[in-house]
Amino acid sequence: LVFSTAIGQRSMVTLPDGSDLSLNTDSAAEVRYDSDERRVVLLKGQALFEAAKGHKEPFVVHAAGRRIVATGTAFDVRYDPNLL
């Protein structure tokens, strides 16, 4: 599943596990859940994640070559290709 926003647009999506994904303007994220982890790849832009609690699989965000692991928390990630 890929979610995206255009310039000037924002979007909030509830993911299959109950987590919330809020995409800022001109952003894109791909959701790839499997039996090992709840993975989201931030392809561009900025997103606020509110990871749902009570899952054995970790909630993992990949962005700009980094891997962020969360357990039942809210956090913001900004993809900046200049930091690669």
Side-chain angles (χ1 to χ4, degrees), residues 15 19-21 23 28-33 37-51 58-71 73-79:
L15 302 178
S19 296
D20 289 322
L21 164 64
L23 287 175
E30 182 177 5
V31 178
R32 304 177 190 168
Y33 285 10
E37 68 181 16
R38 301 173 288 155
R39 178 186 303 188
V40 178
V41 179
L42 185 60
L43 303 170
K44 69 175 186 172
Q46 184 175 8
L48 172 66
F49 300 92
E50 294 185 43
F59 188 90
V60 181
V61 176
H62 293 264
R66 303 194 190 260
R67 183 176 185 263
I68 301 119
V69 181
T71 53
T73 188
F75 60 100
D76 187 75
V77 176
R78 180 174 171 237
Y79 178 92

